[in-house]
Amino acid sequence: MNNYEVLNILDKSWSKQRLIEKIKRGQSSEQIVQNFINENKNNLDLVINLINQKDNNVLSYMEEIANCELNLINELRKKESKSNIEIKENIIDINPITKVYNEFQLSLFMKKWSNQFVIGILIMLSIISLTKQAWA
């Protein structure tokens, strides 16, 4: 088996689609890696020998690529959560009852209308008591 065939076999057995399926079935990342190593021991040994012959930095580059992918995933998650927050805010803005409730401030209402409200009640009570006395 040549190097190209070995790399293709490893690539197919480590495809992201297969990994997602295994994760959905509940396998941990440690289990997935150990199963991969056990199933592809001979092919991995050939690749390690090939890497040692060609370029020792390949594994470092692969590690950097994995770090870049993790950073990209984190950024996508941040944007996703920000997008979800914006959608929730838009839903709240669309609902007129929620908008009125958010804009209503009890302290401002009390400052503006409390004196007029109290005076109105006092006038009503005075009118009621005067009409009772007039009819009595």
Side-chain angles (χ1 to χ4, degrees), residues 108-121:
L108 182 62
F109 175 79
M110 293 303 288
K111 284 180 185 177
K112 191 172 186 180
W113 297 101
S114 65
N115 291 338
Q116 293 176 3
F117 184 70
V118 170
I119 291 171
I121 289 177

Side-chain angles (χ1 to χ4, degrees), residues 24-121:
K24 285 181 180 179
R25 282 188 254 135
Q27 288 186 6
S28 69
S29 58
E30 291 83 16
Q31 287 175 325
I32 293 170
V33 170
Q34 287 305 314
N35 289 342
F36 178 78
I37 290 171
N38 292 337
E39 292 169 2
N40 298 293
K41 187 171 177 35
N42 295 333
N43 292 336
L44 289 172
D45 289 339
L46 288 173
V47 169
I48 290 171
N49 288 334
L50 179 66
I51 289 172
N52 287 336
Q53 292 173 4
K54 298 278 182 174
D55 188 5
N56 291 334
N57 293 329
V58 171
L59 293 177
S60 299
Y61 299 147
M62 291 175 69
E63 186 178 14
E64 280 300 315
I65 290 171
N67 287 334
C68 290
E69 288 178 345
L70 285 174
N71 289 337
L72 178 62
I73 290 169
N74 288 334
E75 289 298 319
L76 292 175
R77 282 196 176 161
K78 287 179 190 175
K79 289 187 183 223
E80 177 188 33
S81 64
K82 184 178 179 183
S83 174
N84 288 340
I85 290 170
E86 288 174 357
I87 289 170
K88 288 178 185 176
E89 288 174 354
N90 289 340
I91 290 171
I92 290 171
D93 288 344
I94 292 171
N95 189 347
I97 295 170
T98 308
K99 187 175 182 181
V100 169
Y101 177 75
N102 289 337
E103 291 175 356
F104 179 73
Q105 296 175 354
L106 184 62
S107 62
L108 182 62
F109 175 79
M110 293 303 288
K111 284 180 185 177
K112 191 172 186 180
W113 297 101
S114 65
N115 291 338
Q116 293 176 3
F117 184 70
V118 170
I119 291 171
I121 289 177

